[in-house]
Amino acid sequence: MAAIVLAGCATQQATGPRQYSTPDSLAGRMTVKVDATPTSQARNVTAVFDLQGTPEQGKLDLSTPLGTVLAQARWAPGKVALVTSQGETAFATLDELTREVLGESLPVAALFDWLRGRPWPGAPSTSDGDKAFKQLGWTVSLAQFGDGLIAASRAEAPAVSVRAKLDAQ
């Protein structure tokens, strides 16, 4: 379920010739890892995802590699819901949902741009060369973007890493 936080879209960029998705659809595999803290255990979640929409409105289906649906996140202005086999849970924001699922809030709005291979325009960023940038306390690596791989990590405790492998289209 933690993979819900990786909602994002990717398009072709100068770093690679492959094209990943359309502006409102994306599929692939993702892993989110959150280090343990004195009050919580480490969390590590991997899932296949199918994303449709934008940071403002959309849905994300998460499945096992065999296709069994694990969860679905749906969001629209004023409404965020997580649907699992146990039912539906409402949240005020996607950040609140990620905090509940992971024990740590992730910058969901920024992830949409990060997975497109660029900094989010809503906050300052610094270049770490042409294959990475830093923003909001995170380092985003685009070293393998041409192969559909994006990695974002935050060293501040608890350390968090997000890795996505986008399906080519």
Side-chain angles (χ1 to χ4, degrees):
M1 290 187 299
I4 294 165
V5 303
L6 293 176
C9 299
T11 58
Q12 182 175 354
Q13 176 151 357
T15 57
R18 298 171 90 186
Q19 177 141 358
Y20 302 98
S21 97
T22 64
D24 62 353
S25 176
L26 179 68
R29 293 175 308 280
M30 62 185 82
T31 299
V32 177
K33 294 180 183 180
V34 179
D35 282 357
T37 68
T39 59
S40 67
Q41 294 183 339
R43 297 182 187 194
N44 182 3
V45 178
T46 300
V48 173
F49 69 93
D50 182 15
L51 172 74
Q52 297 177 8
T54 67
E56 294 78 30
Q57 182 170 342
K59 79 172 188 168
L60 177 66
D61 294 328
L62 300 171
S63 306
T64 67
L66 297 176
T68 303
V69 175
L70 299 170
Q72 181 184 77
R74 296 185 304 232
W75 60 95
K79 181 179 181 183
V80 176
L82 176 64
V83 180
T84 67
S85 60
Q86 288 79 35
E88 183 172 320
T89 305
F91 296 91
T93 65
L94 281 171
D95 287 344
E96 182 183 297
L97 183 149
T98 63
R99 183 175 302 284
E100 179 68 26
V101 172
L102 292 172
E104 192 62 30
S105 181
L106 299 178
V108 176
L111 286 172
F112 278 84
D113 283 289
W114 295 356
L115 292 173
R116 287 186 176 114
R118 64 184 184 223
W120 178 50
S125 65
T126 58
S127 176
D128 228 11
D130 58 344
K131 300 287 185 185
F133 60 88
K134 292 183 179 183
Q135 188 171 47
L136 301 171
W138 292 73
T139 299
V140 180
S141 172
L142 304 174
Q144 296 178 322
F145 186 78
D147 294 326
L149 293 168
I150 298 97
S153 60
R154 185 189 75 189
E156 177 186 316
V160 180
S161 68
V162 177
R163 295 182 54 81
K165 170 68 171 130
L166 307 173
D167 292 342
Q169 292 192 359

